[in-house]
Amino acid sequence: MIKIAFLFPGQGSQYVGMGRELYERFPVARAVFDEADSALGFALSKLIFEGPDETLKLTEHTQPAILTASVAAGRVLAEAGVAPALAAGHSLGEYSAHVAAGTLSFADAVRAVRLRGRYMQQAVPAGEGAMAAILGLDAALIKVICEQVSDQLTPLPKTPGAEGFDAKLAVVSAANLNSPGQTVISGAVGAVERVAALCKDAGAKRTVMLPVSAPFHCALMMRAQDALAKDLAGLEFRDPAIPVAANVSATLITSGDAARTALVAQVTGAVRWVECIQLLVAQGATHFVEVGPGKVLSGLMKQILGKDATTPVLNVEDAASLEKTQAGLH
C-alpha cells in the first residue's frame, strides 16, 4: 500500500525559468501562474520565467515565486491522479503544503507570503543579521554553543556601560535543523560569527556564512512575526484535507486555527525539518515527492534517512521529472 507524502521547498530553491515547462504544457499549471499575477497585481510569472535573477532573489519576490511554482506542480500531479496522504514544507514551503491541503486559498497565500518576505526583509537593517551553515556537528552541541555565546554577549544589569547595550547583539540560535549533519544558525552578525568559530573548534567539518538578506527564523524576526500575525488573522483558514507537519513543533496540523498559529510562530521559530521527516515516516509514509523547484529537500532526505534507506524520494518540477515520478509511484 503506497502512502505518499508531498514535500514543498523553501527559499533558496528558486531559479529563473522554474515551472515554465509546466506552464506551457498544462493548462492547470498556467492557471496558477495567471492567478498569481492577478492576485499580486503585477507580472510575477514574467519575473519567474525571464528574471533577472537579482530581482527574483529579493525575498518579497522569491517567496511568492516559489509558492507559485510549487502549487502549479502540485496541481499538475493532482490532475494526474497523484494524491498525497501527508504533507510538509520547509519554511515558506509550509504555505505551499497548506494550499495543497486546502487550508488556505492560493490567492490569499501568494499575497501573504509576499508580505511575509517584505516584513522579514525589513525586520533587521542590512548588514546587522547573518546566517551560517554548520556542517558535521551534532545539533545538540550547536544549541549549547549558541546559548553560551548569547549569555556571554548579554551583559549583567550592573555591568559598566550596559546601559547603551543593544540586547539584539546577543541573539543567535539554530534556525534550520535540516539534517543530522547540517544545522543553520541565525542572529546578529557578531554572535553568528562567534558561534561558527566555536563550532569549528568543537569539530565541525565546515562552517559557511550564507549569502542571505536577513537572519530568518530567530528572535530578530519578531517585528516581522507581529506584522504577519495581523495579516493572517484576517484570512480564512480551513481544516486541512490531509495532515501537514508544522516546522515549529514537528507535529501534525489538522485544524485551520492550528495552521494559522504554526505559520505565525515559524517566523521566529526554528525549522525542525529532521523531526518533521521522522514524523512523516512514523505516520507510515512510503514514498516522498518534492513538489516544486530544485532537489534541496531530496538531498536532505538522503542524509536524514541514511544511505542504506530504500524509501523512494522523487521530485516534480518539469515534464521529465513528472513522468519519472508517475512511473516511480506505480
Side-chain angles (χ1 to χ4, degrees):
M1 183 72 179
I2 286 180
K3 190 170 186 179
I4 301 167
F6 276 7
L7 306 177
F8 293 91
Q11 201 159 335
S13 294
Q14 74 279 355
Y15 58 88
V16 172
M18 61 182 176
R20 183 167 204 152
E21 196 175 14
L22 298 180
Y23 172 89
E24 290 172 346
R25 291 186 57 166
F26 300 95
V28 70
R30 179 185 291 264
V32 173
F33 284 93
D34 290 347
E35 187 177 354
D37 291 352
S38 175
L40 295 176
F42 78 99
L44 178 69
S45 58
K46 187 174 191 294
L47 174 59
I48 294 171
F49 299 149
E50 299 175 16
D53 188 49
E54 309 80 64
T55 308
L56 183 61
K57 278 182 179 171
L58 293 173
T59 301
E60 69 173 275
H61 295 149
T62 307
Q63 296 199 18
I66 292 174
L67 175 83
T68 300
S70 298
V71 170
R75 292 200 176 160
V76 169
L77 277 166
E79 193 175 60
V82 178
L86 300 157
H90 192 285
S91 188
L92 158 76
E94 196 169 327
Y95 286 81
S96 307
H98 277 297
V99 173
T103 318
L104 263 176
S105 75
F106 172 63
D108 279 349
V110 80
R111 285 189 289 259
V113 300
R114 187 185 186 206
L115 290 169
R116 177 181 185 265
R118 187 178 295 167
Y119 298 148
M120 290 170 116
Q121 190 76 54
Q122 294 171 346
V124 179
E128 288 189 11
M131 298 181 78
I134 312 297
L135 307 177
L137 194 65
D138 183 67
L141 179 54
I142 295 170
K143 182 173 184 285
V144 169
I145 294 172
C146 284
E147 289 169 352
Q148 287 175 344
V149 168
S150 291
D151 287 345
Q152 289 163 2
L153 293 179
T154 304
L156 296 170
K158 293 181 180 175
T159 301
E163 297 79 15
F165 178 81
D166 185 350
K168 291 186 294 186
L169 297 178
V171 171
V172 59
S173 59
N176 301 333
L177 297 127
N178 287 334
S179 76
Q182 185 191 123
T183 298
V184 174
I185 60 172
S186 180
V189 174
V192 169
E193 289 174 343
R194 191 160 173 177
V195 168
L198 289 172
C199 284
K200 198 83 168 73
D201 292 344
K205 287 180 185 172
R206 284 177 68 209
T207 63
V208 183
M209 297 298 289
L210 301 178
V212 294
S213 54
F216 305 129
H217 299 291
C218 75
L220 295 180
M221 289 286 112
M222 188 52 78
R223 268 182 62 203
Q225 181 166 303
D226 290 345
L228 184 68
K230 291 174 185 169
D231 292 343
L232 296 189
L235 301 183
E236 182 188 3
F237 277 75
R238 296 173 289 276
D239 293 345
I242 58 169
V244 176
N247 288 182
V248 76
S249 62
T251 58
L252 292 178
I253 298 294
T254 55
S255 79
D257 286 343
R260 181 191 283 109
T261 299
L263 289 174
V264 170
Q266 59 136 261
V267 179
T268 58
V271 176
R272 295 164 60 181
W273 191 247
V274 174
E275 293 170 88
C276 285
I277 296 303
Q278 291 168 341
L279 174 66
L280 298 181
V281 170
Q283 290 292 313
T286 60
H287 293 65
F288 289 85
V289 182
E290 183 169 2
V291 183
K295 289 186 177 181
V296 171
L297 301 183
S298 301
L300 294 178
M301 284 294 295
K302 294 182 177 72
Q303 297 173 41
I304 295 168
L305 299 177
K307 62 180 189 300
D308 298 325
T310 56
T311 306
V313 181
L314 306 155
N315 82 296
V316 173
E317 61 181 320
D318 53 25
S321 55
L322 172 66
E323 199 173 307
K324 190 175 176 183
T325 292
Q326 286 176 290
L329 294 174
H330 293 100

